[in-house]
């Protein structure tokens, strides 16, 4: 109990992402006046946060608190209104798509709904191989495309899918297998960072456990930095090193998981912790 | 277990679906062959008039002449030969006009649906303005300006009907553009145009094919209508539309002149639309 907690501010671990003063708003089309631009709803209200390299940072908060929006800014699917998003010291907040493209191979994402994120008309191997082909230098030769296919099949093996799955279409897989394909696609480029947005919320409990333990072991093997968005505090507690609690676009808590869970700073976090039942998870899941 | 059910359930329903695919395909193939080999198949010259043999009835009636299977028209021309030669015009127009219509309309629909913004505003306005014109009037006007002939018929069809493709494909593209696989392609470093062509297009393609088939049927009808009002081709070419127009005058004493081209027209239009639906389902990996 008395063991000293390592404070992230004093720890020397350099952050992969440093976010400063991040603001983002969406136009409120529901309240648009007839001849004037729509008013804007501020969704992220000046966030400061660091994502330490090689660690899993959980992002929690109630629905609509801006978790996905924050995540999508990190991988630059969204462009913030203001603020800095430093990736390895480089501000990517305002880069245009052409400048981002070389950086994207380092910023991958696993989606919540694999049925929607896997193109139903492409075979699994092609889904995993497509990003590989885009970042390869030798796209012209036929050998290269065969090599890409092998690479994709190896990524599938890495997430526990037999290479024979490569010839299937997404609808021929189970939910858990589809989500593994999503993971395979994300890790195939060997990125530094992966955003995982509610990646197990569509799965049954046992597939959830398998996918989470897979993610954890891959994170360790590949020294991945992961932003893990979830509603489920029990999952966050077992999987993550750090946790950020968002509420209405503001950060309520930010720190190591044990610290936040043991001594929540704000009432809202306390309510969150109380409101969400914390079943005793079997730690073997994650080993 | 999942594999077993996936492979057995579609087979149960495949019988009727296949029929829907193969019957139209058989009819259209027949037409294609007839068009290609018309001079070899047709028993007579479709334009040759023999006033001694006018209004011969078809083979199953009395008073027929051997060799004139479907009878002759008021000028003594062989109906069967004219129907066979008519497939040339019908298929030629439907193939070229529908493909052109499809290319124009689908491209605009894809661009508007995916890029949104100004693309969408301009293209959607264009569609609205276009659709304000009554199509038949539009066609007649066009042909009147451009002069009669196959080219003007084809151009008229493409100019009138591209909005059908543009509207449907725009809506479908907008739905697909919301899917996560589009974001996923961006995450994977794809350019926007690449995403449109290699991710979204394959998902919209079944609808494009279905519309294309429908359009081929429509093109056959439009050509017939324009022939009917004498705006398509000069009367020295056999077309189904001109046969129907001429047959109409003789309907009380030589109904076969009207009936046989009408049947050919009907079956062709029906085949194209059925083929479109059949292909759409066939192409869908989820339904397959
Ligand atoms: N494209 C958009 N246009 C307008 N408003 C948006 C858009 N995307 C998100 N919002 C709004 O921004 C707010 C935050 O959304 P966000 O998706 O980040 O929430 P979240 O924390 O991920 O919620 P959930 O847990 O339900 O996924 C919500 O109020 C939402 O309505
Ligand atoms: Mg969300």
């Amino acid at each position: 109990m008395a063991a000293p907690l390592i404070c992230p501010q004093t720890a020397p671990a350099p952050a992969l992402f440093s976010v400063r003063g991040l603001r983002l708003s969406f136009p409120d089309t529901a309240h648009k006046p007839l001849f004037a631009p729509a008013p804007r709803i501020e969704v992220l209200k000046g966030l400061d946060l660091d994502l330490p390299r090689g660690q899993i940072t959980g992002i929690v908060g109630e629905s609509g608190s801006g978790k996905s929006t924050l995540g999508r800014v990190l991988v630059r699917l969204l462009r913030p209104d203001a603020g800095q998003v430093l990736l390895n010291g480089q501000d990517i907040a305002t880069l245009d798509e052409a400048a981002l493209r070389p950086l994207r191979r380092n910023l991958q994402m696993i989606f919540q709904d694999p049925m929607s994120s896997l193109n139903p008309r492409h075979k699994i191997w092609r889904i995993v191989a497509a990003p590989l082909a885009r970042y390869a230098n030798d796209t012209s030769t036929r050998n290269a495309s065969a090599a890409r296919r092998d690479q994709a099949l190896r990524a599938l093996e890495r997430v526990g899918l037999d290479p024979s799955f490569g010839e299937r279409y997404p609808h021929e897989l189970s939910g858990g297998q589809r989500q593994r394909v999503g993971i395979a696609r994300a890790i195939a480029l060997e990125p530094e960072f992966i955003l995982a947005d509610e990646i197990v919320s569509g799965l049954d409990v046992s597939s959830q456990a398998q996918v989470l333990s897979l993610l954890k072991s891959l994170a360790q093997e590949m020294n991945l930095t992961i932003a893990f968005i979830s509603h489920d505090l029990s999952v966050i507690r077992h999987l993550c090193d750090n946790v950020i609690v968002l509420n209405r676009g503001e950060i309520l808590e930010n720190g190591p998981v044990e610290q936040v869970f043991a001594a929540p700073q704000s009432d809202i976090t306390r309510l969150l912790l109380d409101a969400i039942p914390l079943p005793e998870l079997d730690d073997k899941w994650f080993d | 277990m999942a594999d077993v059910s996936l492979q057995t359930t579609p087979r149960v329903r495949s019988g009727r679906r296949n029929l829907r695919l193969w019957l139209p395909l058989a009819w259209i193939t027949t037409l294609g062959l007839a068009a290609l080999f018309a001079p070899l198949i047709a028993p007579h010259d479709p334009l040759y008039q023999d006033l001694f043999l006018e209004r011969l009835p078809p083979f199953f009636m009395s008073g027929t002449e051997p060799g004139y299977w479907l009878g002759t028209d008021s000028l003594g021309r062989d109906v069967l030969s004219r129907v066979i030669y008519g497939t040339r015009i019908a298929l030629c127009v439907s193939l070229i006009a529908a493909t052109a219509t499809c290319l124009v309309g689908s491209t605009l629909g894809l661009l508007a649906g995916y890029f949104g913004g100004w693309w969408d505003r301009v293209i959607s306005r264009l569609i609205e303005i276009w659709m304000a014109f009554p199509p038949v009037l539009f066609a007649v006007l066009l042909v009147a300006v451009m002069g009669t002939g196959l080219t003007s018929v084809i151009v008229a069809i493409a100019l009138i009907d591209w909005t059908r493709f543009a509207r449907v494909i725009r809506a479908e593209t907008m739905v697909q553009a919301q899917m996560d696989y589009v974001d996923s392609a961006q995450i994977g470093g794809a350019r926007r145009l690449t995403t449109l062509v290699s991710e979204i297009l394959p998902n919209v393609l079944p609808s494009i094919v279905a519309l294309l088939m429908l359009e081929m049927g429509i093109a056959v009808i439009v050509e017939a209508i324009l022939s009917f009002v004498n705006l398509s081709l000069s009367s020295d070419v056999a077309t189904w539309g001109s046969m129907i127009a001429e047959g109409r005058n003789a309907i009380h004493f030589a109904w076969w002149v009207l009936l046989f081209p009408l049947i050919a027209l009907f079956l062709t239009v029906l085949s194209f639309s059925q083929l479109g639906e059949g292909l759409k389902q066939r192409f869908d990996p989820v339904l397959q």
Side-chain angles (χ1 to χ4, degrees):
Chain A
M1 221 39 258
L5 293 164
I6 301 165
C7 200
Q9 278 81 4
T10 57
L16 178 74
F17 267 114
S18 285
V19 175
R20 295 290 173 267
L22 181 67
R23 292 183 177 277
L24 190 141
S25 59
F26 288 113
D28 182 7
T29 41
H31 297 105
K32 185 186 180 310
L34 199 49
F35 297 110
R40 298 187 76 86
I41 304 179
E42 188 140 68
V43 173
L44 302 179
K45 303 170 180 165
L47 306 186
D48 300 317
L49 56 100
D50 287 336
L51 299 185
R53 188 184 297 277
Q55 297 194 358
I56 304 182
T57 302
I59 301 174
V60 284
E62 56 188 36
S63 188
S65 55
K67 307 184 294 291
S68 300
T69 308
L70 170 60
R72 283 170 172 261
V73 170
L74 293 178
V75 294
R76 274 305 312 275
L77 286 176
L78 290 173
R79 184 194 178 117
D81 300 341
Q84 288 182 310
V85 179
L86 301 174
L87 170 69
N88 290 321
Q90 182 189 6
D91 190 0
I92 63 166
T94 53
L95 292 184
D96 62 16
E97 195 56 38
L100 278 170
R101 203 162 290 125
L103 302 174
R104 287 209 179 278
R105 66 173 307 165
N106 262 329
L107 306 174
Q108 291 299 300
M109 173 169 179
I110 310 167
F111 291 81
Q112 172 173 5
D113 176 8
M115 205 54 208
S116 166
S117 72
L118 306 180
N119 194 326
R121 307 192 67 83
H122 289 172
K123 286 184 174 170
I124 298 298
W125 76 263
R126 203 179 146 193
I127 291 175
V128 179
L132 291 170
R134 291 193 198 108
Y135 286 106
N137 313 319
D138 51 348
T139 43
S140 51
T141 62
R142 185 169 305 157
N143 275 351
S145 77
R148 216 74 61 232
R149 194 167 181 285
D150 286 348
Q151 240 176 314
L153 296 184
R154 255 179 282 132
L156 287 178
E157 266 180 310
R158 205 156 179 190
V159 299
L161 289 178
D162 191 84
S164 64
F165 280 97
E167 286 303 319
R168 297 204 193 178
Y169 287 95
H171 73 273
E172 297 171 320
L173 270 55
S174 74
Q177 289 166 341
R178 275 182 218 140
Q179 201 50 292
R180 281 167 192 267
V181 174
I183 297 176
R185 170 171 60 186
I187 63 161
L189 283 167
E190 314 231 322
E192 287 183 278
F193 174 76
I194 291 181
L195 166 67
D197 190 350
E198 313 236 16
I199 60 169
V200 293
S201 57
L203 303 179
D204 63 83
V205 179
S206 78
S207 316
Q208 279 190 7
Q210 289 171 357
V211 166
L212 291 174
S213 79
L214 171 70
L215 189 68
K216 183 149 193 167
S217 65
L218 286 171
Q220 277 163 1
E221 271 170 47
M222 305 178 68
N223 193 30
L224 293 168
T225 308
I226 295 179
F228 185 88
I229 297 174
S230 177
H231 277 113
D232 192 338
L233 285 172
S234 49
V235 167
I236 296 262
R237 175 183 236 166
H238 284 82
L239 183 73
C240 299
D241 305 299
N242 312 294
V243 60
I244 293 171
V245 180
L246 276 186
N247 183 53
R248 300 175 183 219
E250 286 167 343
I251 293 180
L252 290 185
E253 313 269 347
N254 183 359
V257 163
E258 317 83 51
Q259 185 184 310
V260 171
F261 275 67
Q265 299 293 302
S266 87
D267 293 340
I268 293 174
T269 316
R270 225 163 284 136
L271 276 174
L272 262 176
L273 287 171
D274 290 344
I276 297 169
L278 291 174
E280 271 314 304
L281 278 195
D282 193 342
D283 264 322
K284 272 179 279 178
W285 275 14
F286 298 103
D287 299 335
Chain B
M1 217 181 83
D3 297 347
V4 175
S5 66
L6 270 167
Q7 280 167 10
T8 49
T9 37
R11 290 244 168 88
V12 182
R13 292 173 298 160
S14 68
R16 254 194 71 193
R17 264 213 335 254
N18 277 341
L19 213 61
R20 196 177 186 183
L21 203 60
W22 293 116
L23 272 183
L25 213 54
W27 174 250
I28 291 165
T29 312
T30 311
L31 285 187
L33 292 174
L36 266 180
F37 301 111
L40 301 177
I41 303 169
H44 300 275
D45 181 342
L47 303 175
Y48 180 73
Q49 305 180 5
D50 189 339
L51 294 181
F52 294 109
L53 291 175
E54 68 188 39
R55 296 195 200 115
L56 287 177
F59 67 93
F60 48 82
M61 291 168 66
S62 58
T64 60
E65 193 75 19
Y68 294 88
W69 292 99
L70 300 183
T72 59
D73 65 11
S74 313
L75 297 172
R77 296 175 296 192
D78 180 38
V79 170
L80 177 61
S81 302
R82 288 177 69 74
V83 169
I84 289 174
Y85 271 88
T87 58
R88 290 190 146 184
I89 303 297
L91 286 191
C92 185
V93 168
S94 72
L95 216 69
I96 299 173
T99 308
T101 314
C102 174
L103 284 179
V104 174
S106 303
T107 307
L108 291 177
L110 282 166
L111 293 174
Y114 181 55
F115 287 109
W118 277 108
W119 283 98
D120 190 29
R121 248 167 280 167
V122 170
I123 294 171
S124 296
R125 251 348 76 72
L126 203 61
I127 294 173
E128 281 165 26
I129 295 169
W130 223 265
M131 286 178 43
F133 286 103
V136 174
L137 187 70
F138 199 15
V140 170
L141 260 173
L142 265 166
V143 177
V145 170
M146 293 179 53
T148 56
L150 214 51
T151 322
S152 8
V153 173
I154 289 169
V155 171
I157 291 171
L159 278 182
I160 292 165
D161 264 358
W162 66 271
T163 53
R164 187 199 323 279
F165 284 85
R167 270 181 303 140
V168 175
I169 300 307
R170 170 181 172 269
E172 290 226 356
T173 306
M174 287 173 93
V175 172
Q176 295 297 327
Q178 297 299 315
M179 302 293 256
D180 285 342
Y181 69 76
V182 173
D183 285 337
S184 182
Q186 194 184 350
I187 291 279
R191 287 160 202 277
R192 297 205 75 192
L193 205 59
T194 314
T195 306
L196 180 59
V197 173
S198 69
E199 303 282 334
I200 291 182
L201 180 59
N203 285 284
V204 183
L205 200 59
S207 299
I208 295 183
V209 171
L211 277 179
L212 175 67
M213 292 299 145
L214 187 69
E215 188 62 40
M216 288 191 176
I218 291 171
V220 175
I221 294 183
V222 172
E223 194 282 322
I225 291 176
L226 289 175
S227 288
F228 189 86
V229 296
N230 247 329
L231 281 175
S232 177
L233 291 162
S234 53
S235 51
D236 56 4
V237 180
T239 69
W240 295 346
S242 57
M243 291 181 77
I244 293 168
E246 290 159 12
R248 194 184 42 143
N249 301 326
I251 187 163
H252 298 299
F253 30 93
W255 48 264
W256 51 88
V257 181
L258 177 72
L259 185 69
F260 293 115
L262 211 54
I263 290 176
L265 183 71
F266 175 76
L267 284 180
T268 308
V269 174
L270 188 69
S271 295
F272 274 128
S273 70
Q274 292 297 305
L275 189 62
E277 280 306 306
L279 283 177
K280 183 172 177 172
Q281 290 175 3
R282 188 59 178 249
F283 275 156
D284 196 329
V286 184
L287 289 175
Q288 210 174 65

